[in-house]
């Protein structure tokens, strides 16, 4: 199976996006909570990303990619390490896009005392980072192209 064919699974992509929504909620909760506590948005976004990465790995491992990869603990730790490497690239992409939007177009969108521009900027970063993550999680972390013949 080719790399492109392995990425075409609509069911897997749908699951991945759904897990991403869960990660985004975790991320946004941490981001808003920390920024409201006075933490710089750039620091809060990094803490939120790591929280989301761990949650999304656990759900992807047990649901999205459940049929891929060996079940032993060593393989699980290997996938977690590879996933962190992949997510680092996706997170860096996400972070750069976030900062470019948030700092590049300083807009204030207030709702109940919260600046929603923070979440708008984050949404842009999440969208671009998600595409990077899907491709490399599928092909590198869980290696779906090797399991599907």
């Amino acid at each position: 199976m080719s790399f492109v064919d392995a990425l075409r699974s609509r069911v897997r992509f749908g699951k991945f996006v759904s897990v991403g929504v869960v990660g985004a909620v975790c991320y946004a909760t941490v981001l808003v909570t920390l920024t409201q506590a006075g933490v710089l948005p750039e620091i809060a976004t990094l803490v939120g990303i790591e929280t989301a990465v761990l949650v999304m790995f656990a759900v992807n491992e047990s649901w999205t990619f459940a049929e891929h990869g060996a079940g032993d603990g060593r393989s699980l730790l290997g996938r977690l390490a590879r996933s962190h490497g992949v997510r680092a690239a996706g997170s860096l992409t996400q972070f750069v896009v976030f900062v470019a939007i948030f700092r590049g177009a300083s807009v204030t969108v207030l709702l109940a005392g919260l600046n929603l521009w923070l979440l708008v900027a984050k949404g842009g970063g999440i969208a671009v980072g998600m595409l990077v993550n899907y491709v490399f999680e599928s092909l590198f972390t869980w290696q779906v192209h090797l399991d599907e013949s």
Side-chain angles (χ1 to χ4, degrees):
M1 167 172 288
S2 76
F3 295 129
V4 173
D5 290 337
L7 296 173
R8 287 187 178 160
S9 171
R10 290 180 183 157
V11 171
R12 185 180 313 113
F13 184 73
K15 287 180 176 182
F16 193 84
V17 170
S18 297
V19 172
V21 170
V22 170
V25 169
C26 291
Y27 165 81
T29 301
V30 170
L31 176 65
V32 171
T33 300
L34 291 179
T35 55
Q36 289 299 299
V39 176
L40 287 172
E42 292 85 353
I43 300 300
T45 199
L46 293 173
V47 173
I49 287 169
E50 181 60 19
T51 301
V53 164
L54 292 172
V55 169
M56 290 185 297
F57 177 81
V59 178
N60 277 324
E61 176 71 15
S62 64
W63 184 49
T64 309
F65 299 101
E67 69 278 5
H68 300 282
D72 61 86
R74 184 178 169 130
S75 295
L76 175 67
L77 291 177
R79 283 191 300 281
L80 179 60
R82 286 192 305 272
S83 182
H84 262 80
V86 167
R87 295 291 178 156
S91 293
L92 180 59
T93 301
Q94 182 184 124
F95 182 69
V96 167
V97 172
F98 162 75
V99 171
I101 294 170
F102 185 73
R103 296 291 185 200
S106 186
V107 175
T108 301
V109 181
L110 291 176
L111 178 67
L114 296 175
N115 185 359
L116 297 183
W117 185 245
L118 187 71
L119 297 178
V120 170
K122 194 59 206 164
I126 288 170
V128 176
M130 181 207 59
L131 292 175
V132 169
N133 288 333
Y134 177 69
V135 169
F136 290 101
E137 288 283 38
S138 295
L139 300 178
F140 183 64
T141 302
W142 281 279
Q143 302 177 351
V144 298
H145 60 289
L146 299 178
D147 292 339
E148 296 176 1
S149 302

